[in-house]
Amino acid sequence: MSAVKSYDHPTNADRFNKDQSRTHWHDSALWFIREKRDRMANSLPEWETLRACASQIKSHTVSKLADYLEEFERNATARGATVHWAKDAEEHNRIVLEILQKHQAKRIVKSKSMLTEECHLNPWLDKHGIEVVDTDLGERIVQLREEPPSHIVMPAIHLKKEDVSDTFHEHLQTEEGNCDPNYLTESARQHLRQKFVQADVGITGVNFAIAETGGFVVCTNEGNADLGVSLPKVHIACMGIEKLIPKVDHLSIFLRLLARSATGQPITTYSSHFHGPVEGGELHIVLVDNGRSKLMDSDDFRNSLKCIRCGACMNTCPVYRRSGGHSYAATVPGPIGSILNPLRDAKHHKSLPFACTLCGSCSDVCPVKINLHEQLLTLRSEVNRQKQLPVSKTMPMKIASWVFQRPKLYAWLGGIGKFFLRTMPRFLIYNGLNPWGRNREMPESPPESFRKQYAQRKKSQKSER
Amino acid sequence: MSSKDDILKSVRNKMVPAADLPNLDQDWIQYGDAVAHFGDVLQAVGGTAVVVEGIDGLSAELAKIPVYTEGRKTVSCIDGLMGTVDIDRVEDPHELEDVDFAVLPGEFAVAENGAVWVTDAKIRHRVVLFIPQHIALVIPCPSGNVEEAIVHNMAEAYRRLSWQSNDFGCFVSGPSKTADIEQSLVIGAHGARSLHVFLLLP
Ligand code: SF4
């Protein structure tokens, strides 16, 4: 995976920011989607009711998750599906491989699934001589480039059409320099059709699984999940245990929120409900824990299990928009990723909770009302408590706290600071030692300090009396 | 211990506060003219909706669509309308790979998002909903009243559905599309390049 060189967010973000015009372009592309989401949210007077319902349904499900998992298995089995349980990524991968080997499957088509991404299923199957083709266009583009997706809904949002054109020219023999999205999409359509027709097994993710019926729903705009599983006889659906909802009627809440929050569409083009295998075929459902049950214990972080992976928090996040998905070095980037990844692996992902301005925009847009920015703040103290912070972060804080406890010293230093900001030559202020001056102007220093203004005001008020 | 027991055990022994399910009977959105709203939203997502009278009316409308009249391989799952292939005689769904146009039954439509509910109850190979170059969905309105074929919102939609059999069901809203290349919307990713919806009066 070429993009993951370092786990340190600032280092990766720096790399992304080298190309300023691309950073601005990335920023505005995502903001455009955020605005579409706003228009959709405003088109429904019951938007807030929907969010509250969704959040409540998820709270309820987590509180009885074991019962619902058993109910789901019972009903799915009764409809002829085979349910598998996987504690972690390795077990998940093993189960999938066994099913494929049983059918001597060599060619697999797969629609988007963050879970299989999280489990690194593709390289594992590759190692065992099985070809897996990602069929979502964005996923296929990054797969050909041997990159991980940079966004959970729009995997190739970081690429320009020129990049896609080059990639397709190299792998699909499209015309060199032809960057027309229509032409490129058409080429991918032809290429992927062959893959669909040749596939032995189709793998999909799961957006929602329903305990009451034992069925599940997969949402796509391209129809790739459906094409992938309606030609072969075997369908494997991989899902995290948090995807469960109790009743089929609850879908009315979630399907109304998902696409509107994700891309600003009223609903995805295809919302497919699978209940049991095709005639004479097999349906396998793999239920995966992989650390999810651990999150249930914590009052602070349990809410993050509600996530329906709409990506709205990423689209709105000022840090994500300006640092790119790859800078998070994780399957799920952005605000929700900055919570999930450090909880799973604090050592590698400790910088993520700090990739946040605490502006709260993510919590405002989240369709299931996850208190994202609050959790990020809590996580920061957690990282600090575990002594995972670099000295560059702890030292200035310690010094600042020492200074703040000495008001006279603070006043004196403030005066000196103002003096220097005004009089020092630029190169002494804007250099490597002052990260606050990187890519931005320092605030202009006022002629008089607040302290002085306040004192004068008090004095004049007194003399007026 | 099996992984199932392991997972269930670790999920069950958690101190998670109890939470009730919300009431789904709320004042969900209603439209003054649900039929017109459905047509508008469907158009916005790249499809079209037309009211037709009888199979003759349907045939006449289809005749206006060049990709239908020019299609060499067509499928129809609508009583009284013939296609060039009889899908019920097709054993292997792969044979449907080169279908140009399919006319399929839809059950009802949703005004808020332009979606049509389609199942494979009367469609032998469900791939025919996804693999043809172009698709038409025909929603019967047996009472002669178009309003009956359209619900206002998704809450009403789910109230109409039952889950007794293993049918595959799908809300289809517009033709297949993608915006994965620099956010430019392209119609016709993998599935149908166009979607026509017909509301069929007797
Ligand atoms: S945390 Fe909320 S906004 Fe972010 S992806 Fe999950 S559901 Fe969407």
Side-chain angles (χ1 to χ4, degrees):
Chain A
M1 285 195 206
S2 58
V4 183
K5 290 201 179 96
S6 150
Y7 281 104
D8 186 49
H9 182 268
T11 309
N12 297 335
D14 246 3
R15 200 145 38 90
F16 185 76
N17 273 290
K18 287 251 153 59
D19 187 345
Q20 281 282 312
S21 65
R22 198 180 261 253
T23 312
H24 285 303
W25 165 79
H26 188 262
D27 175 27
S28 54
L30 286 155
W31 187 251
F32 175 69
I33 302 161
R34 153 78 210 257
E35 284 176 328
K36 285 209 293 187
R37 172 251 167 230
D38 288 353
R39 277 199 292 280
M40 276 297 153
N42 291 334
S43 73
L44 284 182
E46 60 254 43
W47 186 254
E48 288 307 314
T49 312
L50 288 172
R51 289 177 75 209
C53 285
S55 188
Q56 226 180 315
I57 293 169
K58 287 280 183 181
S59 293
H60 169 86
T61 316
V62 173
S63 75
K64 296 188 162 194
L65 191 56
D67 296 343
Y68 283 127
L69 283 167
E70 286 179 319
E71 185 183 348
F72 175 77
E73 183 187 39
R74 232 181 4 257
N75 290 324
T77 311
R79 287 184 191 263
T82 312
V83 176
H84 307 260
W85 301 73
K87 268 183 292 192
D88 52 24
E90 284 92 76
E91 191 170 10
H92 162 268
N93 290 350
R94 238 185 5 254
I95 291 169
V96 174
L97 181 65
E98 269 167 29
I99 302 168
L100 297 180
Q101 284 175 339
K102 192 181 97 195
H103 291 276
Q104 292 169 349
K106 284 274 165 251
R107 291 167 174 158
I108 313 303
V109 282
K110 188 176 108 218
S111 73
K112 191 150 62 200
S113 142
M114 281 300 123
L115 177 77
T116 58
E117 199 69 44
E118 169 188 322
C119 296
H120 301 293
L121 179 68
N122 286 18
W124 159 263
L125 292 182
D126 201 40
K127 211 172 71 192
H128 288 85
I130 293 171
E131 179 196 68
V132 197
V133 173
D134 285 327
T135 56
D136 171 89
L137 178 58
E139 294 251 308
R140 185 63 182 149
I141 294 168
V142 293
Q143 187 183 34
L144 289 172
R145 296 171 65 91
E146 296 179 37
E147 281 176 21
S150 77
H151 187 287
I152 58 174
V153 174
M154 296 161 286
I157 186 78
H158 61 294
L159 296 172
K160 298 207 146 198
K161 50 182 191 265
E162 290 77 19
D163 304 323
V164 179
S165 169
D166 290 347
T167 306
F168 280 10
H169 174 63
E170 186 187 334
H171 296 274
L172 310 183
Q173 288 76 48
T174 55
E175 273 166 45
E176 192 166 7
N178 191 336
C179 303
D180 176 17
N182 283 294
Y183 168 73
L184 295 171
T185 303
E186 182 64 33
S187 316
R189 178 183 171 105
Q190 303 303 340
H191 155 71
L192 284 166
R193 261 196 181 224
Q194 289 172 2
K195 301 291 179 188
F196 282 124
V197 172
Q198 295 164 350
D200 305 313
V201 171
I203 299 181
T204 68
V206 165
N207 287 91
F208 306 100
I210 311 130
E212 178 190 34
T213 63
F216 59 91
V217 173
V218 180
C219 304
T220 73
N221 277 323
E222 301 177 9
N224 56 314
D226 303 286
L227 260 175
V229 298
S230 51
L231 286 169
K233 285 277 181 212
V234 184
H235 174 179
I236 305 175
C238 305
M239 60 176 272
I241 52 176
E242 85 286 11
K243 294 276 157 162
L244 219 54
I245 57 172
K247 292 185 182 306
V248 74
D249 286 355
H250 293 144
L251 286 169
S252 71
I253 304 285
F254 290 105
L255 290 189
R256 297 182 79 189
L257 288 166
L258 180 64
R260 286 185 174 97
S261 300
T263 53
Q265 293 169 252
I267 190 171
T268 47
T269 302
Y270 303 99
S271 310
S272 298
H273 298 53
F274 295 92
H275 283 90
V278 286
E279 220 184 288
E282 285 178 25
L283 173 62
H284 295 269
I285 304 170
V286 191
L287 295 168
V288 185
D289 182 347
N290 205 28
R292 285 161 176 76
S293 59
K294 280 205 202 89
L295 289 179
M296 290 171 64
D297 257 337
S298 154
D299 287 338
D300 288 327
F301 302 114
R302 187 182 305 119
N303 263 344
S304 57
L305 285 170
K306 294 179 178 177
C307 176
I308 58 172
R309 303 286 191 266
C310 71
C313 55
M314 292 158 211
N315 303 345
T316 200
C317 176
V319 177
Y320 176 93
R321 296 200 317 264
R322 288 170 184 81
S323 57
H326 286 157
S327 65
Y328 294 79
T331 307
V332 179
I336 183 67
S338 300
I339 295 168
L340 296 176
N341 298 299
L343 289 177
R344 187 166 296 155
D345 177 359
K347 189 165 149 276
H348 281 129
H349 297 292
K350 59 178 181 258
S351 69
L352 294 187
F354 297 89
C356 168
T357 62
L358 294 178
C359 72
S361 180
C362 47
S363 308
D364 284 344
V365 297
C366 177
V368 285
K369 290 180 94 128
I370 300 176
N371 53 338
L372 292 152
H373 70 292
E374 288 168 15
Q375 293 193 29
L376 284 165
L377 185 59
T378 313
L379 256 183
R380 285 188 186 183
S381 27
E382 186 82 357
V383 171
N384 188 21
R385 212 174 41 77
Q386 292 183 10
K387 306 232 177 317
Q388 295 272 16
L389 276 182
V391 180
S392 66
K393 281 231 158 64
T394 51
M395 208 49 183
M397 284 298 167
K398 279 199 187 125
I399 296 174
S401 135
W402 190 78
V403 171
F404 288 151
Q405 286 167 39
R406 290 162 181 79
K408 289 233 171 77
L409 177 67
Y410 174 60
W412 183 71
L413 283 173
I416 296 204
K418 276 209 306 297
F419 175 76
F420 277 121
L421 260 187
R422 266 198 305 264
T423 52
M424 294 260 262
R426 274 191 75 85
F427 74 91
L428 277 179
I429 297 172
Y430 296 92
N431 60 36
L433 288 175
N434 176 20
W436 291 97
R438 239 190 281 157
N439 298 321
R440 71 182 143 205
E441 287 294 305
M442 297 293 285
E444 236 173 79
S445 97
E448 277 180 338
S449 71
F450 173 76
R451 196 183 287 265
K452 221 167 170 183
Q453 288 178 31
Y454 184 73
Q456 264 170 6
R457 213 178 126 137
K458 267 228 153 135
K459 222 159 95 193
S460 68
Q461 273 174 350
K462 237 187 220 160
S463 61
E464 267 169 31
R465 250 184 245 144
Chain B
M1 207 194 303
S2 73
S3 292
K4 172 182 169 182
D5 295 337
D6 251 1
I7 294 173
L8 285 175
K9 192 170 144 239
S10 71
V11 168
R12 210 182 294 279
N13 296 333
K14 302 288 174 192
M15 297 294 289
V16 185
D20 287 336
L21 282 171
N23 176 12
L24 294 187
D25 274 331
Q26 310 237 15
D27 291 332
W28 307 122
I29 196 163
Q30 301 289 312
Y31 299 94
D33 185 344
V35 181
H37 195 85
F38 167 72
D40 290 347
V41 179
L42 183 61
Q43 194 169 25
V45 296
T48 65
V50 182
V51 179
V52 293
E53 268 182 47
I55 291 295
D56 292 343
L58 175 64
S59 303
E61 276 303 320
L62 282 169
K64 292 185 200 161
I65 305 170
V67 287
Y68 176 76
T69 50
E70 287 157 19
R72 269 170 298 149
K73 195 163 170 180
T74 59
V75 166
S76 165
C77 296
I78 305 295
D79 288 340
L81 186 79
M82 287 284 283
T84 62
V85 225
D86 181 356
I87 190 173
D88 291 323
R89 285 163 178 260
V90 171
E91 287 305 321
D92 179 355
H94 287 85
E95 288 171 37
L96 299 166
E97 193 198 329
D98 50 354
V99 169
D100 297 303
F101 203 108
V103 191
L104 306 167
E107 288 184 13
F108 64 90
V110 189
E112 72 156 300
N113 54 26
V116 177
W117 177 249
V118 187
T119 75
D120 65 352
K122 294 191 196 108
I123 304 175
R124 180 163 179 202
H125 301 288
R126 73 167 91 129
V127 76
V128 83
L129 181 57
F130 306 102
I131 210 164
Q133 300 294 323
H134 302 271
I135 294 278
L137 297 174
V138 182
I139 307 174
C141 315
S143 63
N145 187 354
V146 175
E147 277 82 16
E148 248 171 55
I150 297 188
V151 297
H152 291 265
N153 55 59
M154 289 297 275
E156 290 176 18
Y158 278 99
R159 256 179 254 142
R160 257 173 105 139
L161 298 174
S162 72
W163 305 90
Q164 305 309 322
S165 58
N166 277 4
D167 298 341
F168 165 85
C170 186
F171 285 107
V172 181
S173 174
S176 161
K177 58 180 79 68
T178 179
D180 274 340
I181 301 176
E182 250 193 52
Q183 287 301 295
S184 325
L185 183 70
V186 180
I187 303 277
H190 305 291
R193 298 172 192 269
S194 72
L195 173 79
H196 298 271
V197 175
F198 297 104
L199 297 155
L200 176 65
L201 297 173

